[in-house]
Amino acid sequence: MGHDHGHATATGRHRGRLTAVLVMTLVVMVAEVVGALVSGSLALLADAGHMLTDASGLGLALVASVLAARPATGRRSFGLARAEVLAAAANALLLLGVAAFVLVEGVRRLVDPQPVAAGPMLVVALAGLVVNVVGLRLLHAGSGESLNVRGAYLEVLADLLGSVAVVVAALVVALTGWVRADAVVSLGIGLLVVPRALALLRDTLDVLLESTPRGVDLEDVRAHVLSAEGVLDVHDVHVWTLTGGLPVMSAHVVVAEDALDRAGSGRVLDALGACLADHFDVEHSTFQLEPAGHAAHEGARHA
């Protein structure tokens, strides 16, 4: 009888907030494109490009959260939960592409400055600033649970900083006439995006490569498993992340035969599962219980 792995993912729990931020992002993006065309501001256009990336990433995250909620099947025993991670990776790559465009265009504008109308630029930037503050408040709670929500939160944060910078640039242009301030801010926005996109890409690759989650020490896990009554040894320990907010573990546990006879395998499994859930927040763990001496019958062993 198979297990049902249709867990509710972290992104799914915050789907309503992601939808609200997506709508607000699209509204601001359109306003910034119009504002960029009216004012000639590269900074507004750069921020609109970033907003487009945000909207794409949020859309991917929402679609992935719906797919991830679908039940497991015989072909996909974990369902489509990892679709969220693929969406986060695509989001990171989109961010890097937008950043490259903004940086190249910003350098060109520094060399060959273009006229900028500070008034429309300032009005649109202030509107974007307000919307980004609201978006950050909506996404803050879920940013520590889901890679996709975290990615969206970081993008909105970068947009917030970008809006502040565009406001400053608009004031500089209005008060001094130095139009290169627009290009300088564009370069700053591009430089803000790059490290965040790389960090998000690194985290998604860690999940796809089934790396041990950050904050989990395998030696500490082994020590806790070995502390369970009757456990003699533990090997082939693997801890990985299926998707944001869903760590998984498996291990081979050598148990004394008298302990199995006395307590039964069910009580040993209950003790091990409770240990992992309490100390490492691993709700889904799989243990293969083995009597002493069984290791000689196994193939290649891992750490």
Side-chain angles (χ1 to χ4, degrees):
M1 186 172 182
H3 286 292
D4 179 7
H5 295 293
H7 301 275
T9 63
T11 299
R13 291 193 293 272
H14 298 277
R15 192 179 301 157
R17 293 174 182 240
L18 282 169
T19 302
V21 174
L22 173 60
V23 172
M24 292 188 299
T25 299
L26 289 171
V27 170
V28 173
M29 181 195 74
V30 172
E32 287 191 334
V33 170
V34 173
L37 294 174
V38 171
S39 67
S41 169
L42 175 63
L44 275 180
L45 191 60
D47 212 31
H50 190 198
M51 287 281 188
L52 176 61
T53 307
D54 293 351
S56 300
L58 286 166
L60 285 170
L62 287 168
V63 170
S65 70
V66 172
L67 292 176
R70 296 179 65 180
T73 65
R75 178 174 173 79
R76 296 185 176 89
S77 59
F78 278 105
L80 294 172
R82 191 153 281 185
E84 291 189 78
V85 182
L86 296 174
N91 195 2
L93 293 173
L94 282 170
L95 277 170
L96 288 173
V98 169
F101 167 77
V102 169
L103 291 173
V104 170
E105 186 64 16
V107 171
R108 192 184 71 80
R109 289 282 188 105
L110 278 178
V111 175
D112 182 22
Q114 303 295 314
V116 176
M121 178 181 174
L122 180 60
V123 171
V124 175
L126 286 172
L129 180 63
V130 172
V131 171
N132 287 326
V133 170
V134 175
L136 279 180
R137 290 182 64 84
L138 286 173
L139 296 176
H140 182 266
S143 62
E145 299 179 25
S146 163
L147 282 175
N148 279 307
V149 178
R150 178 187 169 197
Y153 179 85
L154 290 175
E155 289 161 3
V156 174
L157 177 60
D159 280 337
L160 173 65
L161 298 175
S163 294
V164 171
V166 176
V167 168
V168 172
L171 290 173
V172 170
V173 173
L175 297 174
T176 70
W178 191 54
V179 294
R180 282 189 172 89
D182 181 66
V184 170
V185 166
S186 302
L187 292 171
I189 292 173
L191 292 174
L192 278 173
V193 171
V194 171
R196 290 172 173 81
L198 289 175
L200 180 60
L201 184 60
R202 178 198 62 203
D203 289 347
T204 57
L205 288 177
D206 279 346
V207 174
L208 292 173
L209 293 173
E210 299 188 344
S211 303
T212 301
R214 284 189 189 146
V216 175
D217 185 336
L218 284 185
E219 291 305 317
D220 197 16
V221 172
R222 288 192 185 93
H224 276 275
V225 173
L226 287 170
S227 69
E229 182 180 358
V231 173
L232 303 176
D233 188 25
V234 58
H235 59 93
D236 284 277
V237 179
H238 302 282
V239 183
W240 68 100
T241 303
L242 181 63
T243 187
L246 188 56
V248 181
M249 176 190 171
S250 68
H252 292 204
V253 182
V254 180
V255 184
E257 291 191 27
D258 61 333
L260 286 174
D261 293 337
R262 184 174 62 255
S265 60
R267 291 184 60 183
V268 175
L269 287 172
D270 287 344
L272 292 173
C275 171
L276 269 295
D278 291 343
H279 292 94
F280 302 99
D281 197 27
V282 177
E283 295 294 338
H284 184 86
S285 51
T286 302
F287 298 101
Q288 176 173 309
L289 301 185
E290 304 171 349
H294 184 268
H297 300 278
E298 296 186 38
R301 284 174 46 162
H302 300 284

